[in-house]
Amino acid sequence: MVTSETYIEDTIRTIFAKDNIVPVTSIRPLSGGVENQAYAVNERLVIRLHNDNPRYATEARVYKMLADDYLPVPQVLALDMSKSKVPYQYIVMTMLHGSAAHPGWGKLNTIQQKKLASQIGATLAYIHTHTYDTCWTSDKKYSSWAALWQERFANYCIKMHAHRDILGNTLDRLQRVVDAHMHLFTSVRHTVLLHGDYQLTNLLQHQGKLTGILDMEWAHGGDPAWDFATDYHWRKYCEGSMRGIYDAYRAYDNQGRIGIDAKRRIAIYRLLPMIEDAVYANRIRWMDGKGWHWSMTQVDIHLRQLGG
């Protein structure tokens, strides 16, 4: 979605006027959004716009649910999926304050880091206390987690197929790993609310206290192990965080949601963002190409450990 900043600012002013939110005195683009255009309004509110994003409605519903649990999430002030007021779907939320846990982790002392890791793990365990009878995404229900996973993995392979020239036989090896472990996906017993993108860049903190849970547009119902797919990011970018997050999660989880089978599924799920990171490293020539080789070495080791 590309358009002029002047047009977007006029659109935002129109939205705030029609929804009678607040008078607009300032608008500032926010960085970091991959699929959405996001702007700070009056340095107190955030608006995100998209041509077609059914996940906004899910995000608003989940924020309301978690706010009732007293978790630090934005308050949704306006949501419109109709495009009847402006030619965009949009969501307007309160702005939460604090800095992202990553890259802010390195600025914390050891005590603050331990405190924050514990809160991150406990918060995820609390999110996972919301359970469902069926697996679901923002636009579809599934008969089982295995059905959702198979569709997700098929779509992932289609997307990654465009990079086969640099990935070599990596996708074939990944397919063999997934096929050999299908029994793990069919045996998932817990269907819980998932954040869907539980990276430390989506969590805010201030001096080691968790102050915000963001970007829940990817929330869905499924295997709790899925929210640990980016755990290698925790280890890679926030040294010492991974163990604290896992320990706190287990301390608050009385259902045994990440037992032995879940650990194996996490190891498989982890490969998807690892491969995407390798592709990205190649595209930006990270570390003059050395980053690509390092990333692919990690993928290769991980695949070997899983028998691929």
Side-chain angles (χ1 to χ4, degrees):
M1 182 174 64
V2 179
T3 188
S4 72
E5 288 299 315
T6 300
Y7 176 76
I8 287 293
E9 289 189 9
D10 289 343
T11 299
I12 291 173
R13 294 180 188 279
T14 298
I15 290 169
F16 273 63
K18 288 187 174 182
D19 285 349
N20 195 29
I21 302 175
V22 293
V24 176
T25 57
S26 67
I27 299 174
R28 175 174 58 87
L30 296 173
S31 61
V34 176
E35 294 199 5
N36 307 277
Q37 288 181 304
Y39 296 83
V41 179
N42 300 353
E43 298 301 325
R44 294 191 301 112
L45 304 176
V46 173
I47 182 169
R48 301 211 322 267
L49 309 97
H50 201 279
N51 286 326
D52 183 22
N53 190 343
R55 296 184 298 273
Y56 283 167
T58 299
E59 184 173 21
R61 186 175 71 252
V62 170
Y63 282 150
K64 174 64 169 64
M65 183 190 310
L66 297 183
D68 290 342
D69 292 337
Y70 302 102
L71 292 183
V73 294
Q75 178 186 356
V76 176
L77 302 180
L79 171 72
D80 193 288
M81 308 297 290
S82 68
K83 297 201 261 188
S84 60
K85 300 175 184 177
V86 295
Y88 298 107
Q89 295 173 337
Y90 62 85
I91 183 171
V92 180
M93 302 169 286
T94 53
M95 177 182 286
L96 301 182
H97 293 282
S99 60
H102 168 63
W105 181 266
K107 299 178 181 179
L108 302 177
N109 61 42
T110 302
I111 294 175
Q112 291 172 330
Q113 289 178 346
K114 288 182 178 179
K115 176 182 175 183
L116 180 59
S118 179
Q119 291 175 79
I120 290 170
T123 297
L124 185 58
Y126 200 90
I127 291 172
H128 288 177
T129 61
H130 293 274
T131 60
Y132 303 92
D133 295 328
T134 59
C135 295
W136 56 272
T137 60
S138 60
D139 57 357
K140 189 175 180 179
K141 289 186 177 181
Y142 295 82
S143 59
S144 65
W145 171 254
L148 192 160
W149 162 251
Q150 285 179 305
E151 181 178 298
R152 172 172 290 165
F153 182 66
N155 290 335
Y156 176 86
C157 289
I158 291 171
K159 182 174 71 171
M160 288 294 105
H161 186 79
H163 307 287
R164 287 192 77 96
D165 57 327
I166 60 172
L167 291 174
N169 67 346
T170 299
L171 293 180
D172 295 331
R173 294 170 65 192
L174 177 60
Q175 182 70 64
R176 289 196 294 270
V177 167
V178 170
D179 290 344
H181 292 85
M182 272 308 299
H183 64 285
L184 295 180
F185 309 119
T186 58
S187 65
V188 171
R189 296 182 296 111
H190 303 282
T191 299
V192 305
L193 174 64
L194 302 176
H195 181 285
D197 192 18
Y198 206 64
Q199 301 194 60
L200 303 193
T201 51
N202 290 331
L203 303 173
L204 300 180
Q205 62 82 31
H206 178 66
Q207 296 181 351
K209 179 181 179 181
L210 186 68
T211 59
I213 307 166
L214 305 178
D215 282 3
M216 291 207 68
E217 65 171 298
W218 294 102
H220 58 292
D223 179 9
W226 180 257
D227 269 340
F228 292 88
T230 56
D231 65 358
Y232 84 101
H233 277 163
W234 309 343
R235 179 174 55 199
K236 180 179 177 182
Y237 299 116
C238 302
E239 184 177 357
S241 67
M242 188 168 166
R243 180 174 179 178
I245 294 172
Y246 269 97
D247 285 350
Y249 183 95
R250 291 190 181 98
Y252 282 86
D253 170 32
N254 58 8
Q255 299 294 319
R257 294 187 177 95
I258 51 172
I260 296 175
D261 286 355
K263 289 180 181 178
R264 198 72 170 173
R265 293 196 305 276
I266 291 169
I268 296 171
Y269 300 152
R270 190 184 294 136
L271 276 163
L272 276 61
M274 286 179 74
I275 293 171
E276 287 184 321
D277 280 3
V279 170
Y280 180 70
N282 179 72
R283 181 164 65 85
I284 66 171
R285 301 294 298 169
W286 180 41
M287 295 171 58
D288 293 327
K290 295 178 181 178
W292 151 255
H293 294 292
W294 181 88
S295 297
M296 285 305 296
T297 298
Q298 300 306 305
V299 170
D300 177 67
I301 292 172
H302 211 68
L303 280 168
R304 289 178 185 275
Q305 291 173 342
L306 290 166

